[in-house]
Amino acid sequence: MEEFITQNWLYLAIGLFIILLVIWWLRANRDSARPGVPSDDAAAQDPAADGELLPDETPLPQGTMAPPPAADPVPAQPAPAAKPAPATFTAPTADTGTQGMPNVPAATGDPDDLRQIKGLGPKLAKRLTELGITRYDQIAAWGPAEIAEVDQYLGTFKGRIDRDNWVEQAGYLAKGDIEAFKAKYGAV
């Protein structure tokens, strides 16, 4: 036997190394595969593992086992929110007057490209056009009452008029003051 070991010591050392490597790998996978069992890394990051107490813990008398941690309550699933009905647009007719339209001054002249206003994209531009709002000077003339009036027709975009300063931006664009607009809001 001694002769066998002396002739094959290198192979035996490599085999032992491989066995230790496989055991280490199996233990590492076993710990990470079991939920609720902290791995060595988790224990290193857990302040309670070092004997430190967490803020809500009190020391237990020696020889007393700690009660198992309470299971985290399952958060209540919120009821699915009912989808709001899509905003409908009722075109004014002789019978309905301006029903379904905001009470803002009508546009006079050719329409402007409202998408030049920062924060006003294609969907909002289309919606404003449906509401009869097509010019910068219309938006620039809005006061708090008109903003509140139009805001209620914007659906999910409600609040964008004030948040994105449409009135101020439209004022620059209506006057043709592109340089002041660029200085404050960037490129058109």
Side-chain angles (χ1 to χ4, degrees):
M1 182 77 175
E2 242 179 76
E3 187 177 316
F4 176 77
I5 293 174
T6 57
Q7 290 177 351
N8 298 311
W9 70 269
L10 182 60
Y11 298 115
L12 293 172
I14 292 173
L16 181 62
F17 177 74
I18 291 173
I19 290 171
L20 291 174
L21 187 62
V22 168
I23 292 171
W24 172 81
W25 182 77
L26 289 173
R27 283 185 55 103
N29 284 339
R30 180 190 63 180
D31 289 345
S32 65
R34 292 189 342 206
V37 177
S39 64
D40 293 338
D41 294 337
Q45 296 173 356
D46 184 12
D50 294 333
E52 296 178 27
L53 292 177
L54 297 177
D56 60 341
E57 292 182 339
T58 56
L60 294 173
Q62 189 65 22
T64 309
M65 292 186 58
D72 291 336
V74 177
Q77 296 294 329
K83 289 187 178 179
T88 57
F89 171 70
T90 307
T93 63
D95 298 320
T96 61
T98 58
Q99 182 180 4
M101 299 287 284
N103 187 18
V104 293
T108 54
D110 293 334
D112 293 318
D113 183 8
L114 298 179
R115 293 177 298 164
Q116 298 299 316
I117 296 174
K118 305 295 182 187
L120 200 155
K123 288 183 180 181
L124 270 171
K126 180 181 178 197
R127 181 67 185 137
L128 290 176
T129 301
E130 291 171 348
L131 296 172
I133 302 164
T134 59
R135 297 189 43 87
Y136 299 136
D137 57 354
Q138 276 180 288
I139 298 172
W142 288 350
E146 290 85 5
I147 291 172
E149 177 74 24
V150 173
D151 209 26
Q152 67 184 344
Y153 291 92
L154 297 183
T156 58
F157 298 109
K158 189 174 185 173
R160 297 287 293 269
I161 298 170
D162 285 327
R163 187 172 57 239
D164 294 331
N165 297 322
W166 288 4
V167 175
E168 185 178 10
Q169 291 185 59
Y172 287 124
L173 295 171
K175 290 186 272 182
D177 194 355
I178 304 301
E179 292 306 315
F181 181 88
K182 285 182 182 178
K184 185 152 188 178
Y185 297 104
V188 179

